[in-house]
Amino acid sequence: MPAFWQQFSGTHKEQQLLKEASDDAMLGLCIPTEDTAYDYVIGVKTDNIRLSFESWTIPASKWLVFEAVGPVPTAIQQTTREIFESFLPSSQYEFTQAPDFERYPNGDVTAQDYVTEIWIPVK
């Protein structure tokens, strides 16, 4: 995924269009497929349907929202590992087969105090 973001960062036209359409953040979405794999896409939350990008409606769900504090991608990888290896197995929650995503607020993703939100669908 970091390589995908790196490639996307080089496509300034698409990135600018998405930033103009967004609320204040970029999203990294993991969309489950029919098998155990998933598609990973970069997007934004928007009501601007004039864009020529593909769109998804994320179904309503119960979400656990975690904060990954620190530079991307290290903080996200560490927090995600803790969620799936420690937190979820010892909690009352069960991960569901629905899209999960990261929310990247505008800011310096290399900063020590940068906060990425990780949204996990659960039941």
Side-chain angles (χ1 to χ4, degrees):
M1 287 184 229
F4 185 54
W5 276 97
Q6 186 72 18
Q7 179 184 0
F8 175 75
S9 295
T11 57
H12 298 291
K13 180 180 177 185
E14 288 83 0
Q15 190 175 23
Q16 187 60 35
L17 284 171
L18 286 175
K19 281 186 177 184
E20 289 171 5
S22 75
D23 58 352
D24 67 343
M26 300 291 288
L27 303 174
L29 294 101
C30 295
I31 302 171
T33 59
E34 292 183 17
D35 54 14
T36 58
Y38 59 87
D39 290 328
Y40 186 82
V41 298
I42 296 171
V44 295
K45 176 185 172 195
T46 184
D47 292 323
N48 185 346
I49 59 172
R50 294 179 301 158
L51 293 175
S52 61
F53 294 105
E54 192 167 347
S55 67
W56 286 274
T57 299
I58 297 176
S61 183
K62 177 187 256 186
W63 303 91
L64 296 178
V65 181
F66 299 87
E67 292 186 343
V69 180
V72 173
T74 306
I76 296 167
Q77 293 167 343
Q78 178 181 344
T79 303
T80 300
R81 190 171 30 259
E82 290 170 4
I83 293 166
F84 286 97
E85 292 178 4
S86 298
F87 178 81
L88 282 177
S90 65
S91 76
Q92 64 186 12
Y93 300 104
E94 183 180 332
F95 181 72
T96 62
Q97 280 301 102
D100 62 279
F101 60 93
E102 307 99 36
R103 182 178 179 277
Y104 300 92
N106 294 335
D108 180 2
V109 298
T110 64
Q112 293 299 318
D113 62 348
Y114 183 78
V115 178
T116 304
E117 293 176 356
I118 301 172
W119 290 58
I120 305 293
V122 295
K123 60 179 177 178

Coordinates of all heavy atoms in Angstrom, one line a residue, residues 5-68:
W5 N 0.4 4.5 -2.6 CA 0.3 5.9 -2.2 C 1.4 6.8 -2.9 O 1.2 7.9 -3.3 CB 0.3 6.1 -0.7 CG -1.0 5.9 -0.1 CD1 -1.5 4.7 0.5 CD2 -2.0 6.8 0.0 NE1 -2.8 4.9 0.9 CE2 -3.2 6.2 0.6 CE3 -2.2 8.2 -0.4 CZ2 -4.3 6.9 0.9 CZ3 -3.4 8.8 -0.1 CH2 -4.4 8.2 0.5
Q6 N 2.6 6.2 -2.9 CA 3.8 6.9 -3.5 C 3.5 7.1 -5.0 O 3.7 8.2 -5.5 CB 5.0 6.0 -3.3 CG 6.3 6.7 -3.8 CD 6.7 7.8 -2.8 OE1 6.3 7.9 -1.7 NE2 7.5 8.7 -3.3
Q7 N 3.0 6.1 -5.7 CA 2.6 6.3 -7.1 C 1.5 7.4 -7.2 O 1.6 8.2 -8.1 CB 2.2 5.0 -7.7 CG 1.8 5.1 -9.1 CD 1.2 3.7 -9.6 OE1 1.1 2.8 -8.9 NE2 0.9 3.7 -10.9
F8 N 0.5 7.3 -6.4 CA -0.6 8.3 -6.4 C -0.1 9.7 -6.2 O -0.5 10.6 -6.8 CB -1.7 7.9 -5.4 CG -2.8 8.9 -5.3 CD1 -3.7 9.0 -6.3 CD2 -2.9 9.8 -4.3 CE1 -4.8 9.9 -6.3 CE2 -3.9 10.7 -4.2 CZ -4.8 10.8 -5.2
S9 N 0.9 9.8 -5.3 CA 1.4 11.2 -5.0 C 2.0 11.8 -6.2 O 2.1 13.1 -6.3 CB 2.4 11.1 -3.9 OG 1.8 10.7 -2.7
G10 N 2.4 11.0 -7.2 CA 3.0 11.6 -8.4 C 2.0 12.0 -9.4 O 2.4 12.7 -10.4
T11 N 0.7 11.7 -9.2 CA -0.3 12.1 -10.2 C -1.0 13.3 -9.7 O -2.1 13.2 -9.1 CB -1.3 10.9 -10.4 OG1 -1.9 10.5 -9.1 CG2 -0.6 9.7 -11.0
H12 N -0.4 14.4 -9.8 CA -0.9 15.7 -9.2 C -2.3 16.1 -9.7 O -3.1 16.6 -8.9 CB 0.1 16.8 -9.5 CG 1.4 16.5 -8.8 ND1 1.6 16.5 -7.5 CD2 2.6 16.2 -9.4 CE1 2.9 16.2 -7.2 NE2 3.5 16.0 -8.3
K13 N -2.6 15.8 -10.9 CA -3.9 16.3 -11.5 C -5.1 15.5 -10.7 O -6.0 16.2 -10.2 CB -4.0 16.0 -13.0 CG -5.4 16.4 -13.6 CD -5.4 16.1 -15.1 CE -6.8 16.4 -15.6 NZ -6.9 16.1 -17.0
E14 N -5.0 14.2 -10.6 CA -6.0 13.4 -9.9 C -6.0 13.7 -8.4 O -7.1 13.9 -7.9 CB -5.8 11.9 -10.1 CG -6.1 11.4 -11.5 CD -4.9 11.6 -12.5 OE1 -3.9 12.2 -12.1 OE2 -5.1 11.2 -13.7
Q15 N -4.9 13.9 -7.9 CA -4.8 14.2 -6.4 C -5.4 15.6 -6.2 O -6.2 15.7 -5.2 CB -3.3 14.2 -6.0 CG -3.1 14.3 -4.5 CD -1.7 14.2 -4.1 OE1 -0.8 14.5 -4.9 NE2 -1.4 13.8 -2.9
Q16 N -5.2 16.6 -7.0 CA -5.8 17.9 -6.8 C -7.3 17.8 -7.0 O -8.0 18.4 -6.2 CB -5.2 18.9 -7.8 CG -5.6 20.3 -7.6 CD -5.3 20.8 -6.2 OE1 -4.2 20.5 -5.6 NE2 -6.1 21.6 -5.6
L17 N -7.8 17.1 -7.9 CA -9.3 16.9 -8.1 C -9.9 16.3 -6.9 O -10.9 16.8 -6.4 CB -9.6 16.1 -9.3 CG -9.4 16.7 -10.7 CD1 -9.5 15.7 -11.8 CD2 -10.4 17.8 -10.9
L18 N -9.3 15.3 -6.3 CA -9.8 14.6 -5.1 C -9.8 15.6 -3.9 O -10.7 15.6 -3.2 CB -9.1 13.3 -4.8 CG -9.4 12.2 -5.7 CD1 -8.5 11.0 -5.4 CD2 -10.9 11.8 -5.7
K19 N -8.7 16.3 -3.8 CA -8.6 17.2 -2.6 C -9.7 18.3 -2.7 O -10.2 18.7 -1.7 CB -7.2 17.8 -2.5 CG -6.2 16.9 -1.9 CD -4.9 17.6 -1.7 CE -3.9 16.7 -1.1 NZ -2.6 17.3 -0.7
E20 N -9.9 18.8 -3.9 CA -11.0 19.8 -4.1 C -12.3 19.3 -3.8 O -13.2 20.0 -3.3 CB -10.9 20.4 -5.5 CG -9.7 21.2 -5.8 CD -9.6 21.6 -7.3 OE1 -10.5 21.3 -8.1 OE2 -8.6 22.2 -7.7
A21 N -12.6 18.0 -4.0 CA -13.9 17.4 -3.8 C -14.1 16.9 -2.3 O -15.2 16.7 -1.9 CB -14.1 16.2 -4.7
S22 N -13.0 16.8 -1.6 CA -13.1 16.2 -0.3 C -13.5 17.1 0.8 O -13.5 18.4 0.7 CB -11.7 15.6 0.1 OG -10.8 16.6 0.5
D23 N -13.9 16.5 2.0 CA -14.2 17.3 3.2 C -12.9 18.0 3.7 O -12.8 19.1 3.7 CB -14.9 16.5 4.2 CG -14.2 15.3 4.7 OD1 -13.1 14.9 4.1 OD2 -14.7 14.7 5.7
D24 N -12.0 17.2 4.1 CA -10.7 17.6 4.6 C -9.7 16.5 4.8 O -8.7 16.6 5.5 CB -10.9 18.4 5.9 CG -11.3 17.5 7.1 OD1 -11.8 16.4 6.8 OD2 -11.1 17.9 8.2
A25 N -9.9 15.4 4.1 CA -9.1 14.3 4.3 C -9.1 13.3 3.0 O -10.1 13.3 2.3 CB -9.5 13.5 5.5
M26 N -8.1 12.6 2.9 CA -8.0 11.5 1.9 C -8.3 10.2 2.7 O -8.1 10.1 3.9 CB -6.6 11.4 1.3 CG -6.1 12.6 0.6 SD -7.0 13.0 -0.9 CE -6.4 11.7 -2.0
L27 N -8.8 9.2 1.9 CA -9.2 7.9 2.5 C -8.4 6.8 1.8 O -8.2 6.9 0.6 CB -10.7 7.6 2.4 CG -11.6 8.7 3.0 CD1 -13.1 8.3 2.6 CD2 -11.4 8.7 4.5
G28 N -8.0 5.8 2.5 CA -7.5 4.6 1.9 C -8.5 3.5 2.3 O -8.6 3.1 3.5
L29 N -9.2 2.9 1.3 CA -10.2 2.0 1.6 C -9.8 0.5 1.2 O -9.3 0.3 0.1 CB -11.5 2.3 0.8 CG -12.2 3.6 1.2 CD1 -11.9 4.7 0.3 CD2 -13.7 3.4 1.3
C30 N -10.1 -0.4 2.1 CA -9.9 -1.8 1.8 C -11.3 -2.4 1.6 O -12.1 -2.5 2.5 CB -9.3 -2.5 3.0 SG -7.6 -2.0 3.4
I31 N -11.6 -2.8 0.4 CA -12.9 -3.3 0.0 C -12.8 -4.8 -0.2 O -12.1 -5.2 -1.2 CB -13.4 -2.5 -1.3 CG1 -13.5 -1.0 -1.0 CG2 -14.8 -3.0 -1.7 CD1 -13.7 -0.2 -2.2
P32 N -13.5 -5.6 0.6 CA -13.4 -7.0 0.4 C -14.0 -7.5 -0.9 O -14.9 -6.9 -1.4 CB -14.4 -7.5 1.6 CG -14.6 -6.4 2.4 CD -14.4 -5.2 1.7
T33 N -13.3 -8.5 -1.5 CA -13.8 -9.1 -2.7 C -14.5 -10.5 -2.3 O -14.6 -10.8 -1.1 CB -12.7 -9.3 -3.7 OG1 -11.7 -10.2 -3.1 CG2 -12.0 -8.0 -4.1
E34 N -14.9 -11.2 -3.3 CA -15.6 -12.5 -3.0 C -14.7 -13.5 -2.3 O -15.2 -14.3 -1.6 CB -16.2 -13.1 -4.3 CG -17.3 -12.2 -4.8 CD -17.9 -12.8 -6.1 OE1 -17.7 -14.0 -6.4 OE2 -18.6 -12.0 -6.8
D35 N -13.4 -13.5 -2.6 CA -12.6 -14.5 -1.9 C -12.0 -13.8 -0.6 O -12.6 -12.9 -0.1 CB -11.5 -15.0 -2.8 CG -10.7 -13.9 -3.5 OD1 -10.8 -12.7 -3.0 OD2 -9.9 -14.2 -4.4
T36 N -10.8 -14.2 -0.2 CA -10.3 -13.6 1.0 C -9.4 -12.4 0.8 O -8.9 -11.8 1.7 CB -9.4 -14.6 1.8 OG1 -8.3 -15.1 0.9 CG2 -10.2 -15.8 2.3
A37 N -9.4 -12.0 -0.5 CA -8.6 -10.8 -0.9 C -9.4 -9.5 -0.7 O -10.6 -9.6 -0.3 CB -8.1 -10.9 -2.3
Y38 N -8.8 -8.4 -1.1 CA -9.6 -7.1 -1.1 C -8.9 -6.2 -2.1 O -7.8 -6.4 -2.5 CB -9.5 -6.5 0.3 CG -8.2 -6.2 0.9 CD1 -7.5 -5.0 0.6 CD2 -7.5 -7.1 1.7 CE1 -6.3 -4.7 1.0 CE2 -6.2 -6.9 2.1 CZ -5.6 -5.7 1.8 OH -4.4 -5.4 2.3
D39 N -9.7 -5.2 -2.5 CA -9.2 -4.2 -3.4 C -8.9 -3.0 -2.5 O -9.6 -2.7 -1.5 CB -10.3 -3.7 -4.4 CG -10.5 -4.8 -5.4 OD1 -9.6 -5.5 -5.8 OD2 -11.7 -4.9 -5.9
Y40 N -7.8 -2.3 -2.8 CA -7.4 -1.1 -2.0 C -7.5 0.1 -3.0 O -7.0 0.1 -4.1 CB -6.0 -1.2 -1.5 CG -5.6 -0.1 -0.6 CD1 -6.0 -0.1 0.8 CD2 -4.9 1.0 -1.0 CE1 -5.6 1.0 1.6 CE2 -4.5 2.1 -0.2 CZ -4.9 2.0 1.1 OH -4.6 3.1 2.0
V41 N -8.3 1.1 -2.5 CA -8.5 2.3 -3.3 C -8.2 3.5 -2.5 O -8.3 3.5 -1.3 CB -9.9 2.4 -3.9 CG1 -10.1 1.2 -4.9 CG2 -10.9 2.4 -2.9
I42 N -7.8 4.6 -3.2 CA -7.6 5.9 -2.6 C -8.8 6.8 -3.0 O -9.2 6.8 -4.2 CB -6.3 6.6 -3.1 CG1 -5.1 5.7 -2.6 CG2 -6.2 8.0 -2.6 CD1 -3.8 6.1 -3.2
G43 N -9.4 7.5 -2.0 CA -10.5 8.3 -2.3 C -10.8 9.4 -1.3 O -9.9 9.7 -0.5
V44 N -12.0 9.9 -1.4 CA -12.4 11.0 -0.5 C -13.9 10.8 -0.2 O -14.6 10.2 -1.0 CB -12.2 12.4 -1.1 CG1 -10.7 12.7 -1.2 CG2 -13.0 12.6 -2.4
K45 N -14.4 11.4 0.8 CA -15.8 11.4 1.1 C -16.3 12.7 0.4 O -15.8 13.8 0.6 CB -16.1 11.5 2.6 CG -17.5 11.7 2.9 CD -17.7 11.9 4.4 CE -19.2 12.3 4.7 NZ -19.4 12.8 6.0
T46 N -17.3 12.5 -0.5 CA -17.8 13.7 -1.2 C -19.2 13.5 -1.7 O -19.7 12.3 -1.8 CB -16.9 14.0 -2.4 OG1 -17.4 15.2 -3.0 CG2 -16.9 12.9 -3.4
D47 N -19.9 14.5 -1.9 CA -21.3 14.5 -2.5 C -21.2 15.1 -3.9 O -22.2 15.2 -4.6 CB -22.3 15.3 -1.7 CG -22.6 14.7 -0.3 OD1 -22.6 13.5 -0.3 OD2 -22.7 15.5 0.6
N48 N -19.9 15.3 -4.4 CA -19.7 15.9 -5.7 C -19.8 14.8 -6.7 O -18.8 14.1 -7.0 CB -18.4 16.6 -5.7 CG -18.1 17.3 -7.1 OD1 -18.8 17.1 -8.0 ND2 -17.1 18.2 -7.1
I49 N -20.9 14.6 -7.3 CA -21.1 13.4 -8.3 C -20.6 13.8 -9.7 O -20.7 13.0 -10.6 CB -22.5 12.9 -8.3 CG1 -23.5 14.0 -8.7 CG2 -22.9 12.3 -7.0 CD1 -24.9 13.6 -8.9
R50 N -20.1 15.0 -9.9 CA -19.7 15.4 -11.2 C -18.3 14.9 -11.5 O -17.9 14.9 -12.6 CB -19.6 17.0 -11.3 CG -21.0 17.6 -11.2 CD -20.9 19.1 -11.3 NE -20.1 19.6 -10.1 CZ -19.5 20.7 -10.1 NH1 -19.5 21.5 -11.1 NH2 -18.8 21.1 -9.0
L51 N -17.6 14.3 -10.5 CA -16.3 13.8 -10.8 C -16.4 12.5 -11.6 O -17.4 11.8 -11.5 CB -15.6 13.4 -9.4 CG -15.2 14.6 -8.6 CD1 -14.7 14.1 -7.2 CD2 -14.2 15.5 -9.2
S52 N -15.4 12.2 -12.4 CA -15.5 11.1 -13.3 C -14.8 9.9 -12.7 O -14.4 9.0 -13.4 CB -14.9 11.4 -14.7 OG -13.5 11.8 -14.5
F53 N -14.6 9.9 -11.4 CA -14.0 8.7 -10.7 C -15.1 7.7 -10.3 O -16.2 8.0 -10.3 CB -13.3 9.2 -9.4 CG -12.1 10.1 -9.7 CD1 -12.2 11.5 -9.5 CD2 -10.9 9.6 -10.1 CE1 -11.1 12.3 -9.7 CE2 -9.8 10.4 -10.4 CZ -9.9 11.8 -10.2
E54 N -14.6 6.5 -10.0 CA -15.5 5.5 -9.6 C -16.0 5.8 -8.2 O -15.3 6.4 -7.4 CB -14.8 4.1 -9.5 CG -15.7 2.9 -9.3 CD -15.0 1.6 -9.6 OE1 -13.9 1.6 -10.2 OE2 -15.6 0.6 -9.3
S55 N -17.2 5.4 -7.8 CA -17.7 5.8 -6.5 C -18.3 4.5 -5.8 O -18.7 3.6 -6.4 CB -18.8 6.9 -6.6 OG -19.9 6.4 -7.2
W56 N -18.2 4.6 -4.5 CA -18.8 3.5 -3.6 C -19.6 4.1 -2.5 O -19.3 5.2 -2.1 CB -17.7 2.7 -2.9 CG -16.9 1.8 -3.8 CD1 -17.2 0.5 -4.1 CD2 -15.7 2.0 -4.4 NE1 -16.3 0.0 -4.9 CE2 -15.3 0.9 -5.1 CE3 -14.8 3.2 -4.5 CZ2 -14.1 0.8 -5.9 CZ3 -13.7 3.1 -5.3 CH2 -13.3 1.9 -5.9
T57 N -20.6 3.4 -2.1 CA -21.3 3.8 -0.9 C -21.0 2.8 0.1 O -21.1 1.6 -0.1 CB -22.9 3.8 -1.2 OG1 -23.1 4.7 -2.2 CG2 -23.6 4.1 0.1
I58 N -20.4 3.2 1.2 CA -20.0 2.3 2.3 C -21.2 2.1 3.1 O -21.9 3.0 3.6 CB -18.9 3.0 3.1 CG1 -17.6 3.2 2.3 CG2 -18.6 2.1 4.3 CD1 -16.5 3.8 2.9
P59 N -21.6 0.8 3.3 CA -22.8 0.5 4.1 C -22.7 0.9 5.5 O -21.6 0.9 6.1 CB -22.9 -1.1 3.9 CG -21.5 -1.5 3.6 CD -20.8 -0.4 2.9
A60 N -23.8 1.2 6.1 CA -23.9 1.5 7.5 C -23.3 0.3 8.3 O -23.5 -0.8 8.0 CB -25.3 1.8 8.0
S61 N -22.6 0.7 9.4 CA -22.0 -0.4 10.2 C -21.7 0.2 11.6 O -21.7 1.4 11.8 CB -20.7 -0.8 9.5 OG -20.0 -1.9 10.2
K62 N -21.3 -0.7 12.5 CA -20.7 -0.2 13.8 C -19.2 -0.2 13.5 O -18.6 -1.1 13.0 CB -21.1 -1.3 14.8 CG -20.5 -0.9 16.2 CD -20.7 -2.1 17.2 CE -21.8 -1.7 18.1 NZ -22.0 -2.7 19.2
W63 N -18.6 0.9 14.0 CA -17.2 1.1 13.7 C -16.4 1.3 15.0 O -16.9 1.9 15.9 CB -17.0 2.4 12.9 CG -17.7 2.4 11.6 CD1 -18.9 2.9 11.3 CD2 -17.2 1.9 10.3 NE1 -19.3 2.7 10.0 CE2 -18.2 2.1 9.4 CE3 -16.1 1.3 9.9 CZ2 -18.1 1.8 8.1 CZ3 -15.9 0.9 8.6 CH2 -16.9 1.2 7.7
L64 N -15.2 0.8 15.0 CA -14.3 1.1 16.1 C -13.3 2.0 15.4 O -12.8 1.7 14.3 CB -13.5 -0.1 16.6 CG -14.4 -1.2 17.3 CD1 -13.5 -2.3 17.7 CD2 -15.1 -0.5 18.5
V65 N -13.0 3.2 16.0 CA -12.0 4.1 15.4 C -10.8 4.2 16.2 O -10.9 4.5 17.4 CB -12.7 5.5 15.2 CG1 -11.7 6.5 14.5 CG2 -14.0 5.4 14.4
F66 N -9.7 3.9 15.7 CA -8.4 4.0 16.4 C -7.6 5.1 15.8 O -7.7 5.4 14.6 CB -7.6 2.7 16.2 CG -8.4 1.5 16.7 CD1 -9.3 0.8 15.9 CD2 -8.1 1.0 18.0 CE1 -10.0 -0.3 16.4 CE2 -8.8 -0.1 18.5 CZ -9.7 -0.8 17.7
E67 N -6.7 5.7 16.6 CA -5.8 6.7 16.2 C -4.4 6.1 16.1 O -3.9 5.5 17.0 CB -5.8 7.9 17.1 CG -7.1 8.7 17.1 CD -7.0 9.9 17.9 OE1 -6.1 10.1 18.8 OE2 -7.9 10.8 17.7
A68 N -3.7 6.3 14.9 CA -2.3 6.0 14.7 C -1.5 7.3 14.7 O -1.7 8.1 13.8 CB -2.2 5.2 13.4

